[in-house]
Amino acid sequence: MGWKCSLIIIENKDHFNDDIAILNTIGKGDYTYSSSCTLDECIYPRDESINIGYFNGNIIICDDYQLTTTSLERARNLELTPTEKGLISLFPASEIITVACHSAINYHGYSLIEHGIKTRLKSMSSNEDKLEFGPRLVEENKLYKSSKLKDGVHFWTYDNDPEVYAEDQLMEEFTFKIAARRLGVALNYADGEALMEQVIFKKYRKIKPEVSQEEKPNNQKIKWVKYAIIIGIILIWQLLKRTVFS
């Protein structure tokens, strides 16, 4: 087991609370309210839902990797995605942080948007080369400062621990230290427990189109059609037997 998460954290200067406007902006206008949940339950929902909560002057969107995959894993520069442009239209002066991680491959990625401009992006995993654009953040520099550098590669050692740790193995430290830039707490430490377990999020899921009565299969009708076909085959067989063998 390990951490798996996908978050968009938006500085909420004007106390914005219109979830529907956010859903429309990120291309999820066909999603509707499903239930309430905690961050612990929706940080990795595995149900293709969008979950929205409010904490410490921020809007938190848990997107189940639907949006962050494009903005982080598939990014090759600091260009804005359509989703990011939409959020900037709602929050032009806000800081927007996107973070994601997945422990199965030691993947972590994050980006920072300031006043409508993406200024930082980093993405890496155990089986992918590191991609990074823009100057490193203060939070990153603190982590890199504690590392050692050999042949241009960062690695970490700790007192009384013989292991040498590569950068992808610090997935949690990078992910949650960057998220804490806005949240004020690190989700993988005790100070993040209240946010994980007590703050209520709203879960939104895609509306499934209703099937009209005309489109619904008539099981009773199908059953009688099958019977009629079987009876017809039997009658034809009996007729053939009488004709051939009479």
Side-chain angles (χ1 to χ4, degrees):
M1 296 295 290
W3 284 94
K4 302 173 182 67
C5 78
S6 177
L7 307 173
I8 301 172
I9 308 164
I10 306 165
E11 181 182 12
N12 193 12
K13 295 180 178 181
D14 300 319
H15 307 289
F16 188 92
N17 61 2
D18 189 343
D19 289 1
I20 303 304
I22 293 174
L23 290 170
N24 287 329
T25 296
I26 63 177
K28 302 295 182 182
D30 56 346
Y31 279 47
T32 188
Y33 175 76
S34 172
S35 60
S36 61
C37 57
T38 64
L39 180 57
D40 186 50
E41 295 168 323
C42 70
I43 195 168
Y44 179 48
R46 291 177 288 180
D47 58 7
E48 296 186 347
S49 62
I50 298 293
N51 305 269
I52 302 176
Y54 298 80
F55 175 78
N56 197 21
N58 300 285
I59 302 167
I60 306 172
I61 303 173
C62 301
D63 72 305
D64 204 16
Y65 299 102
Q66 296 178 80
L67 309 174
T68 60
T69 295
T70 301
S71 61
L72 297 178
E73 292 180 61
R74 297 176 184 167
R76 293 297 178 267
N77 50 47
L78 291 173
E79 289 184 7
L80 297 167
T81 66
T83 296
E84 290 168 336
K85 291 177 181 178
L87 290 174
I88 289 169
S89 71
L90 279 182
F91 310 100
S94 293
E95 185 173 272
I96 302 174
I97 287 179
T98 299
V99 301
C101 68
H102 200 293
S103 60
I105 53 173
N106 277 358
Y107 164 75
H108 71 269
Y110 44 83
S111 69
L112 171 66
I113 295 173
E114 300 175 285
H115 298 284
I117 299 173
K118 188 182 293 185
T119 58
R120 176 61 174 158
L121 169 67
K122 175 193 169 187
S123 178
M124 74 174 303
S125 69
S126 58
N127 52 21
E128 294 286 345
D129 292 336
K130 179 169 67 173
L131 292 175
E132 58 178 334
F133 305 94
R136 289 174 176 168
L137 307 178
V138 172
E139 293 78 10
E140 293 177 274
N141 284 330
K142 289 180 180 178
L143 288 168
Y144 284 119
K145 189 176 180 179
S146 65
S147 73
K148 297 178 181 179
L149 197 62
K150 182 178 181 180
D151 298 328
V153 177
H154 291 275
F155 65 94
W156 283 256
T157 59
Y158 297 96
D159 294 339
N160 303 318
D161 187 344
E163 294 291 328
V164 175
Y165 295 90
E167 188 166 343
D168 65 284
Q169 293 175 289
L170 270 72
M171 176 198 82
E172 296 173 10
E173 290 300 300
F174 277 99
T175 299
F176 297 117
K177 287 289 172 56
I178 300 302
R181 175 187 174 100
R182 285 248 45 87
L183 298 176
V185 297
L187 299 180
N188 59 328
Y189 285 93
D191 62 349
E193 288 183 2
L195 171 54
M196 289 289 290
E197 299 173 3
Q198 298 175 20
V199 175
I200 300 302
F201 282 65
K202 291 183 178 179
K203 179 181 290 292
Y204 296 88
R205 303 186 70 175
K206 190 172 184 177
I207 303 170
K208 294 183 179 179
E210 293 186 4
V211 179
S212 67
Q213 290 297 324
E214 295 179 357
E215 295 173 328
K216 289 180 180 179
N218 189 328
N219 293 330
Q220 192 70 18
K221 183 178 179 180
I222 292 172
K223 182 170 69 174
W224 283 111
V225 168
K226 288 181 180 178
Y227 289 158
I229 291 172
I230 293 171
I231 292 171
I233 292 172
I234 293 172
L235 290 174
I236 292 171
W237 172 245
Q238 292 294 336
L239 181 61
L240 287 172
K241 280 202 307 183
R242 292 178 183 180
T243 302
V244 175
F245 299 108
S246 61

